[in-house]
Every structure is written in C-alpha cells, then in structure tokens.
Amino acid sequence: MILQVPVGTLVFDEQGATIADLATAGQRVLIAHGGRGGRGNQHFAKPWHQAPREHEDGFPGEERHIRLELKLLADVGLVGFPNAGKSTLISVISAARPKIANYPFTTLEPNLGVVSADGGTGGHGTELGRTFVVADLPGLIEGAHLGAGLGIRFLRHVERTRLLVHLIDTSDSNADDPVHSFEVINGELEAFSASLIEKPMIVVATKLDATTDHTRLEALRDFCKRRNLPFHSISAVAGDGVKDLVRSIADALDKIPRATRDSAIETESAEGEGEHPLSAPVDHPAVATNKEENS
C-alpha cells in the first residue's frame, strides 16, 4: 500500500524517534514490510489431481504504530504578537488571502504565500526573478510556551524556515513598548526551541501609516542597531517600505544556504544489522529510491 502525504511530513515511531523526513517531492520510504503469501491450491494442481485442497500458510507482515506530523516548507516565517500586521503583509506581497480583521487571533492556522522579489510574473515571456515562500503564523503572546493564547503548537512550521521576520506594531493605537514586545516573542521562540533564536532575523515596525509619534519607532530602530539586526519600517496598507523589505528578504535568503536533508532514514539499519526476513527485493521502487538518494 502506498500512502501519499504532503511534502514536509515527518514520520515518527511509538518512541518518538524519526523514521523519515519526507521533505522532497516524489520521495518514498518503506515504513513496514508486507507479509509474504504462501502458495495457493493452484500450485498443487496436477493432471491426476485437478482439484487440490492443499495450500501453504503465508508469513505475517510487519505491524507498527506511527505518527505523522506536517511541517510546512517555507523560506521565511512571519512571527509577532496577534494583530501585528502579519496577515496584511502576506496578503500584499503574495496571492495569499488570509482572514484579516481588527482583533487579536484572527489567524487560526498558518498561511503560505509565494513572493516574487523582483516584480516579474513569469507570463508573456517575462522573467519571474527571485521567489520565496512566506509562512504567516498565528500570533504569540507572553506565556505561549505554557499554553496561553493559541500556544506554540504552530511554531514547528518555522523550524524549517531559513529566515524569521519579526513584525512589531509601533502605531499610536498600541501602547506596548516595542522593545519589550520583541524580547517577549524572542523568549517564547527560545522556550520552544533554541534553534529558532539562532536563525537570521529581520525586525519590521508595522502600521507606519497609523504612527504619528515616532519616539517608540526610533527606540526600536536604535535597539536593533545595537543588536546588529536588520530593521525596516513599513505600512502594508499604504505600501510604504514594502518593496524595500521584500528585496531585503530576498537578499538575505541569497546569503543563507538551504539546509541539506537526508532523503530518508533507513528503518532497518536503525533497528539492527542484517536483512529483514521479509524484506522487499532490491529493485523495489521505495527501497531503490532511498538507497540511491542516500548513497
């Protein structure tokens, strides 16, 4: 039986060990060996015994319980507090159409959008230019790692990203200190996985069109300068600074190598030496594909 799953699916066994990371389109992995059937009564037919009742019992197949987990494949992850402008930004720079409303936790599930950094459409002979995939994640709040708000269950989707874009609302309607907001979200990222803090990050001050007092905006800019963090201020609604931000993201991605992943993890070699008694022939498509890609 072939079970088709989305690209980015992880396969775990009952103990939580990773069996396979299906991060490439067309990738196949053998999860469990099927049983080998015994000979049926037609194999015992003879001219003098044309209705045999003899048969041979088959061998049982391998049975195992697995857990499948999907991690979306994206180059850039948008993080920040609820209502920071993440969904508005992805709707402006891509064809994604997430739900947008003026209240927290509008985004309840991740949204993906493909962004063209150089403005090409690829139609009528034009060049598409550099493109990248952006993931808009549901907003975090303080205490998310303890389950507050929507928790951190969506953060697994940014573990595969190469770049984080941290959006912070600096408009007049938001009284929070933007520097404190940055540190709170970073603390939640670190509580989920220390590897997220090590990812390259761009800080973006949003809702510039609704900002008349630039004091907090400049304080955030100075903070990022001291931390050597790239900083942008934008208005996704008015379009101010959006093109510069998209180009900066594309430039940053050009400098970040794509992570190389093993195409599959050999299940049998991890469990013990020797060939499985019911293993498939060497030309089995799943086995052959895995061996070729892992060699």
Side-chain angles (χ1 to χ4, degrees):
M1 182 183 70
I2 298 177
L3 176 64
Q4 296 185 340
V5 296
V7 176
T9 299
L10 287 163
V11 186
F12 300 94
D13 62 15
E14 288 183 284
Q15 288 71 38
T18 304
I19 300 174
D21 183 359
L22 303 173
T24 306
Q27 185 178 336
R28 299 169 62 143
V29 63
L30 183 61
I31 299 298
H33 294 277
R36 178 177 297 168
R39 291 189 298 170
N41 58 354
Q42 72 272 17
H43 292 279
F44 297 91
K46 299 291 187 298
W48 59 87
H49 187 31
Q50 298 183 10
R53 296 179 179 273
E54 296 85 355
H55 69 277
E56 287 181 353
D57 293 334
F59 299 92
E62 184 181 5
E63 179 178 332
R64 66 193 311 180
H65 295 272
I66 62 172
R67 178 172 61 88
L68 304 179
E69 179 179 300
L70 176 63
K71 289 186 179 180
L72 297 177
L73 299 180
D75 300 299
V76 181
L78 303 182
V79 297
F81 272 95
N83 215 29
K86 301 183 296 296
S87 296
T88 303
L89 177 60
I90 197 174
S91 70
V92 170
I93 64 178
S94 74
R97 292 294 175 263
K99 182 179 179 181
I100 300 173
N102 190 24
Y103 57 83
F105 302 113
T106 309
T107 302
L108 298 177
E109 59 185 16
N111 296 290
L112 291 179
V114 179
V115 182
S116 174
D118 301 319
T121 61
H124 304 289
T126 60
E127 291 292 334
L128 187 60
R130 296 176 297 175
T131 61
F132 54 87
V133 180
V134 177
D136 164 32
L137 300 178
L140 301 171
I141 63 173
E142 189 169 7
H145 69 284
L146 300 176
L150 295 177
I152 55 176
R153 60 184 178 273
F154 297 109
L155 282 182
R156 67 179 184 272
H157 296 300
V158 298
E159 288 185 306
R160 294 188 189 271
T161 61
R162 295 185 287 151
L163 176 70
L164 295 181
V165 176
H166 190 161
L167 275 64
I168 302 176
D169 180 4
T170 58
S171 64
D172 298 340
S173 60
N174 183 22
D176 296 335
D177 178 16
V179 175
H180 176 68
S181 298
F182 173 86
E183 293 174 339
V184 167
I185 297 300
N186 264 23
E188 297 301 326
L189 295 176
E190 187 174 14
F192 179 78
S193 173
S195 63
L196 294 182
I197 296 297
E198 299 173 359
K199 289 182 180 292
M201 180 181 293
I202 295 177
V203 180
V204 180
T206 62
K207 304 183 182 180
L208 193 60
D209 58 303
T211 305
T212 57
D213 184 4
H214 289 72
T215 304
R216 293 181 301 135
L217 174 63
E218 295 304 322
L220 180 60
R221 187 193 304 273
D222 293 340
F223 173 79
C224 292
K225 186 177 181 180
R226 294 194 301 270
R227 298 279 296 268
N228 293 321
L229 291 171
F231 177 81
H232 289 264
S233 56
I234 67 167
S235 168
V237 174
D240 298 337
V242 174
K243 289 185 178 180
D244 290 338
L245 172 62
V246 170
R247 293 194 187 100
S248 295
I249 293 175
D251 292 341
L253 290 175
D254 288 341
K255 302 174 183 177
I256 305 172
R258 294 182 179 273
T260 58
R261 305 182 183 93
D262 293 335
S263 61
I265 298 176
E266 296 289 347
T267 57
E268 299 305 331
S269 60
E271 293 175 357
E273 297 295 332
E275 186 179 0
H276 193 282
L278 300 180
S279 59
V282 70
D283 60 349
H284 188 284
V287 177
T289 300
N290 293 334
K291 290 186 177 180
E292 288 170 3
E293 294 182 355
N294 281 335
S295 60

